[in-house]
Amino acid sequence: MSFVAEKLRMVEARIRAAALRAGRDPASVRLVAVTKTVPVEFVVEAVGAGAKILGENRVQEALSKMDAMRESGVEWHLIGPLQKNKARLAVGEFSLIHSLESIELAREIDRQAKKKGIVQKALLEINIASEETKHGIRPEDAAGFMKEAAGLENLGIMGIMCVPPIADDPEKSRPYFKEMNRLAAELALEGFEITELSMGMTQDFEVAAEEGATLIRVGTAIFGARN
Ligand SMILES: *Cc1c(COP(=O)(O)O)cnc(C)c1O
C-alpha cells in the first residue's frame, strides 16, 4: 500500500473511532482530503485509496486538478477564501463552498448560479473565536446573515464551517467545536436547513468528530507537511 493510502486509512480509522466514542454513527462524518499544494499523482493515489471528497483552497489550482482527473468521479469542495471576482469560475465546479463569509459574496454566487441554472451549495464560515485576523462572520451575526441570504434562490446554505485558533493541544479546540454545534442547533431551531458542520483539521479532527462534525478537512495527516 502507498504512503498516501496508508495515511488515509489511518485518518479514516481515527475518525471512526472518535465518532463511536461519542456515540455517533461513523457514517455521519465524512472526510474531506485537503489537496492544496499536493501534486496530482498523490491526489490520484488518495482517490484510488477511497477518498470521496477533495478540498482545495484556490480556485485555479483546483480547476487544473479537476481537468487532470475528469473521470475520477470525486467530489470537490472549496475550503479557502473566495474572491468575488472568482465566483464565476468556482460556481458549478465545486459541489460545496465552505467559505461563504459576506452577503456580497452570497449575492454574487447566487447571480452566477442563476446564469448556470443551478443551485450552488455553500457553508457559512463562522469566526468562532471572533479573532481580528480571521475570515468568517461572528457567531452572533449568523442568524441575521441566514435571514438575508434566504431570499437568494440559487444559493443553498447547508450549514456552517470554522477554523478555530491554532493551538498546540487539540483539547483547546473543543470549546469552539461545542459552540459551533450549539450554533448549528440554534439556527436549525430558527427554521434554517442546517445539515453540515465543517470543522476539524490535522491537529484536532478527532475532537471535532466527537463534537458533531459532519465534514472534517484533513491535509497534513494524509499527504505529509506542505512546503
Ligand atoms: C489547509 C486547510 C485545512 C487542512 O489543514 P491540515 O492542518 O493540513 O489538515 C483545513 N481547512 C482549511 C480551511 C485549510 O485551509
Side-chain angles (χ1 to χ4, degrees), residues 35-36 54-58 61-62 65 76-80:
T35 51
K36 64 186 181 205
L54 305 179
E56 283 279 340
N57 265 50
R58 290 164 184 271
E61 182 183 342
K65 282 179 186 159
W76 297 83
H77 289 189
L78 183 66
I79 62 171

Side-chain angles (χ1 to χ4, degrees), residues 151-171:
L152 302 173
E153 289 178 355
N154 295 73
L155 171 68
I157 302 183
M158 311 304 295
I160 55 178
M161 173 270 209
C162 80
V163 181
I166 296 169
D168 42 11
D169 174 4
E171 283 303 323

